Amino acid sequence: GESESAARAFLKAAEYNNDFAAASFNLAKSHMLAGKFGNALEIIEKLLEEESGNGTLLSAQAYCYYKLDNPLKAQQIYRQILERNPGDFDAAFNYAVLLGQDGKDGEALELFLDLEKLDMKNSMLYFEIAKTSFNSGDYAGASSYGEKARDLDPDETEYRDFLLLAYEKGGYYAKY
């Protein structure tokens, strides 16, 4: 009767809202790919009004703020994500990168090393550890992690170039 009809109407409205949210997020992603981060951010923040705890939306929001040259706001959002989900590898990785860019090498390195325990074979993670170690004056650590990154991705010229610099600063010979 009436309650079944109301339930069907509710389910149809919920399906529409989910489709609308998905379409809106796809539009935001298109804006991000086109470099229109302000437009993307506007859509994402409207979606967050309905889904304030959505990690995907929060990550996209943080990325937009970063690209709009507001890394402190991006850091704040990544901290918020990590408070809700401490095991979010991507949020922790991006947060650590931002900390390093902000000159907080000690905090960044600690977070990167914690992430290494979770994901032992990640060339990007090894490279970030290498760069952060280098910035802290630990050229042996920079060389060691640079080698790990290079070994996992030998075609990445940025890793090889960095490794040569780390060897030079540390007084090591290139191992090629």
Side-chain angles (χ1 to χ4, degrees), residues 92-149:
F93 181 87
N94 292 332
Y95 180 52
V97 168
L98 291 175
L99 287 172
Q101 290 174 355
D102 200 22
K104 298 173 183 169
D105 294 320
E107 286 178 69
L109 187 57
E110 186 178 320
L111 195 46
F112 284 134
L113 292 172
D114 285 345
L115 289 173
E116 181 188 19
K117 296 171 190 167
L118 303 174
D119 189 353
M120 295 301 291
K121 297 207 184 276
N122 184 316
S123 64
M124 288 176 45
L125 176 60
Y126 288 150
F127 187 56
E128 289 300 329
I129 294 171
K131 290 191 308 186
T132 307
S133 297
F134 184 91
N135 291 341
S136 300
D138 176 8
Y139 304 118
S143 298
S144 174
Y145 279 98
E147 288 171 2
K148 289 179 180 187

Side-chain angles (χ1 to χ4, degrees), residues 31-125:
H31 282 306
M32 291 168 69
L33 290 172
K36 298 177 181 176
F37 296 100
N39 294 350
L41 185 60
E42 188 176 328
I43 294 167
I44 290 164
E45 290 186 338
K46 284 202 184 313
L47 291 170
L48 281 166
E49 289 173 9
E50 300 295 319
E51 295 185 67
S52 63
N54 184 310
T56 302
L57 291 174
L58 288 168
S59 290
Q61 180 190 36
Y63 183 71
C64 287
Y65 274 113
Y66 169 72
K67 295 303 274 184
L68 291 168
D69 205 25
N70 192 342
L72 294 179
K73 181 70 174 174
Q75 284 182 33
Q76 176 188 357
I77 295 165
Y78 284 127
R79 275 195 309 272
Q80 180 184 350
I81 294 168
L82 291 170
E83 285 170 8
R84 293 178 180 177
N85 183 7
D88 187 324
F89 183 92
D90 292 334
F93 181 87
N94 292 332
Y95 180 52
V97 168
L98 291 175
L99 287 172
Q101 290 174 355
D102 200 22
K104 298 173 183 169
D105 294 320
E107 286 178 69
L109 187 57
E110 186 178 320
L111 195 46
F112 284 134
L113 292 172
D114 285 345
L115 289 173
E116 181 188 19
K117 296 171 190 167
L118 303 174
D119 189 353
M120 295 301 291
K121 297 207 184 276
N122 184 316
S123 64
M124 288 176 45
L125 176 60

